[in-house]
Amino acid sequence: MINGWLNDPDFLDNQGNPIALTIEGGEKTFAALAKNYSGDIPTQAMLTTLLSAGSVEKLDDRVRLIRHAYVPSDDPVDKLRILGTDVNELITTIDHNLTVTNSNELRFQRKVSNEAIRGDALPAFRRMSANKAQILLEDLDHWLSEHEVGEDSKGAGGERKYVALGIYYFENDFSEEDKS
């Protein structure tokens, strides 16, 4: 749903930014967005979900997108679903790269790490990496949205494909045991 709000011209202003939406009562409404992009989830249920996740805020009779990503707040089912999906995709990518015989078919799998970072530098790195990663993911999401095909369509490029690119942040204390 957030993807639709960020990429569908019907829900963007002239500068390409998501507009604040009335909940119901017209074409450019939160209800219309929910109908187009949330599957069978009712408007109020979607609004409650996005409010609790901190993705939107309610301003009188309007809803405004404040976070360009959905991160479940306290819903353990959503958290487990994300855990299962993301771990599966990473392991499948690693397995593919270990077993593929043609090096041209390797899938992107990289990370940056350093074992000697000052602890007082971590808050700045967390903020910077989150901001840059969000910008990259939004750019990639926009590109993917421009190359979608309909549900029943194979499109000009052949059959429909699922694609994902994930970015994660990991941090751990470095102990003397880790050195060995």
Side-chain angles (χ1 to χ4, degrees):
M1 176 139 163
I2 292 173
N3 178 37
W5 205 340
L6 291 169
N7 293 294
D8 188 328
D10 287 341
F11 302 100
L12 301 173
D13 64 18
N14 292 338
Q15 287 77 42
N17 298 312
I19 58 175
L21 302 169
T22 56
I23 296 174
E24 296 188 25
E27 291 180 20
K28 294 184 179 189
T29 64
F30 187 82
L33 181 70
K35 181 181 179 191
N36 291 344
Y37 294 100
S38 74
D40 295 333
I41 300 172
T43 300
Q44 287 302 316
M46 180 55 68
L47 179 58
T48 300
T49 299
L50 294 177
L51 282 167
S52 69
S55 298
V56 300
E57 69 178 348
K58 197 170 174 187
L59 309 166
D60 297 321
D61 67 334
R62 299 178 99 53
V63 179
R64 183 172 72 97
L65 184 66
I66 57 174
R67 188 185 296 165
H68 291 192
Y70 170 72
V71 179
S73 57
D74 295 325
D75 186 344
V77 173
D78 275 351
K79 288 179 179 179
L80 286 173
R81 186 178 301 118
I82 289 170
L83 171 69
T85 300
D86 291 357
V87 169
N88 176 57
E89 289 172 354
L90 177 59
I91 290 172
T92 301
T93 298
I94 293 169
D95 179 62
H96 173 85
N97 288 342
L98 290 172
T99 58
V100 71
T101 55
N102 182 347
S103 63
N104 292 328
E105 295 177 14
L106 289 170
R107 296 180 181 160
F108 186 83
Q109 178 202 334
R110 311 282 190 282
K111 71 177 182 180
V112 61
S113 63
N114 189 310
E115 62 184 39
I117 299 300
R118 292 188 344 254
D120 64 348
L122 290 178
F125 182 70
R126 278 188 217 114
R127 283 189 304 275
M128 180 190 66
S129 62
N131 289 336
K132 288 184 179 240
Q134 186 65 36
I135 290 167
L136 173 62
L137 290 173
E138 287 179 29
D139 287 347
L140 294 171
D141 182 54
H142 182 72
W143 189 94
L144 290 171
S145 293
E146 290 178 344
H147 293 84
E148 286 181 351
V149 296
E151 287 186 27
D152 298 329
S153 172
K154 288 188 174 186
E159 63 191 68
R160 286 171 46 115
K161 297 284 188 173
Y162 170 79
V163 63
L165 188 132
I167 300 173
Y168 67 93
Y169 175 88
F170 178 79
E171 178 181 310
N172 199 10
D173 292 335
F174 189 75
S175 68
E176 289 300 314
E177 293 174 12
D178 294 328
K179 291 180 183 177
S180 60

